[in-house]
Amino acid sequence: MTSPRWLDRYRAGQRQQVWHELRQQGRTVRDKPDLAVEAQLVCDEMAHRARQNIEVLLERLTADGYAFHANDDEQAVVPAHVPPTATAAEHADWLANQYTEIPMTVLSWVRLVGDVWLVGTHPQWPASVSADPLVIELEGSRDPDELSIRDYFQDEWTELNDYNEEHGEADVFVLPLAPDRLHKENTSGGPPYGIALPDGCVDGLFVGETITPFVAYLNRVFETGGFPYSTGSPDEWRIKRDLARDLLPL
C-alpha cells in the first residue's frame, strides 16, 4: 500500500485533510502496522505543537501577572503545567491496557505534554476564571498528595459499571480529564469533561460543553488563548487575541 505521507503532509499544513483521513480510518488503522506508525507520528507531532502552545501561554500569562490558583475558596497557588514524569510512558500503557482501547492523541498527550491547569485570575480580566480555562490532567502529577489518579479513574469506571448493571443502562464511560466550566470557577456544576472510552480511533471524542473531536477542542482552546468561553468582559477579546497570537494550529 502506498504511504499516505500523513506526517509530511501534516507538517506542510494539510492538517485538516490529514485529520479527516485519520478519522475515516476508524479503529482499523491499528490493524495495519505501517499506517498505525504513521498515525502515531502525527499524534506525537500534534502533542509537541500543543506543548509549545502551552509554554507560550504560560509565559504570556505570567508576564501579565496572571494568578494560577485552585478552584476553591482558598485559591491556593498551584502549578500551571507539570511536564510528563519519568513514568509517563508507563502510565500511557496502563491506560491503554485498562480501558481496552484509547485514542492515540490521548496517549501522545500523556507522554509528551503533561498535566495542564490554567484556572486562575487575570489582573485585567477578573472573570477569566469563568472563561472555561484549559485543564487536562491525565497523569495526576499536579498534586501527588491527592488520591492516585489511577484510583480515581478506576472508581469512576466501577461506579458507572455498577450503575449500568443495576439500571439496565449502557452509558458510555467518560475518562475524566477536567472539572466542567462551572466547577473551574468554584460553582456547583455538572460532570467532568473527558474522553469517551473505549475508543480505538486515532483521535477521540472530547465530552465537554459539546461533544467534539479532541483535536478540534484543542484548536478551539488555542484560538481563544486558552479560554474558550465568553464572559462578556470589556477587555476579554483584546486579552484573548494577545494570548492566542501566533499559536500553532493542531
Side-chain angles (χ1 to χ4, degrees):
M1 179 179 179
T2 303
S3 167
R5 298 179 54 252
W6 284 323
L7 181 60
D8 290 343
R9 292 166 53 212
Y10 180 88
R11 286 174 170 168
Q14 298 179 32
R15 289 172 296 275
Q16 291 187 0
Q17 180 62 27
V18 168
W19 286 122
H20 175 71
E21 292 175 19
L22 289 170
R23 289 174 184 131
Q24 282 189 317
Q25 290 282 327
R27 71 153 318 281
T28 63
V29 72
R30 296 175 184 261
D31 301 326
K32 307 166 187 174
D34 291 345
L35 293 187
V37 169
E38 287 200 54
Q40 190 65 70
L41 288 172
V42 172
C43 296
D44 287 355
E45 181 70 11
M46 176 279 299
H48 284 300
R49 293 167 72 91
R51 179 163 174 174
Q52 181 173 333
N53 285 348
I54 288 163
E55 290 170 349
V56 170
L57 282 175
L58 294 184
E59 289 178 3
R60 290 174 178 173
L61 287 167
T62 301
D64 285 349
Y66 190 85
F68 300 97
H69 58 67
N71 57 331
D72 55 23
D73 291 340
E74 287 74 26
Q75 295 190 346
V77 175
V78 299
H81 177 220
V82 181
T85 70
T87 60
E90 186 270 332
H91 184 59
D93 291 341
W94 179 86
L95 288 168
N97 292 329
Q98 194 67 36
Y99 299 108
T100 309
E101 291 184 326
I102 191 164
M104 291 182 180
T105 50
V106 175
L107 297 178
S108 291
W109 187 282
V110 175
R111 292 186 292 102
L112 299 170
V113 181
D115 288 350
V116 182
W117 180 274
L118 297 191
V119 172
T121 304
H122 193 290
Q124 301 172 50
W125 178 27
S128 57
V129 73
S130 303
D132 204 5
L134 175 65
V135 172
I136 296 178
E137 296 189 300
L138 275 157
E139 198 178 356
S141 52
R142 181 173 59 87
D143 191 348
D145 294 330
E146 290 294 320
L147 174 71
S148 158
I149 200 164
R150 293 188 185 183
D151 290 342
Y152 170 49
F153 289 162
Q154 282 302 94
D155 287 349
E156 294 293 306
W157 172 263
T158 300
E159 183 178 337
L160 177 71
N161 286 336
D162 289 346
Y163 176 87
N164 283 344
E165 183 175 349
E166 180 179 351
H167 295 84
E169 301 289 345
D171 291 349
V172 172
F173 176 61
V174 176
L175 183 74
L177 306 188
D180 79 325
R181 174 174 58 83
L182 295 177
H183 278 107
K184 288 175 184 177
E185 61 175 324
N186 194 25
T187 302
S188 180
Y193 296 164
I195 296 288
L197 296 181
D199 185 349
C201 296
V202 176
D203 193 20
L205 289 178
F206 183 83
V207 180
E209 296 285 297
T210 59
I211 299 176
T212 185
F214 184 43
V215 172
Y217 166 73
L218 293 172
N219 274 321
R220 170 63 179 159
V221 168
F222 291 133
E223 287 166 1
T224 53
F227 301 85
Y229 187 78
S230 175
T231 64
S233 302
D235 292 322
E236 174 178 352
W237 290 109
R238 174 186 59 79
I239 293 169
K240 286 185 176 183
R241 183 179 62 252
D242 291 343
L243 290 171
R245 185 180 68 258
D246 300 326
L247 293 184
L248 299 174
L250 310 183

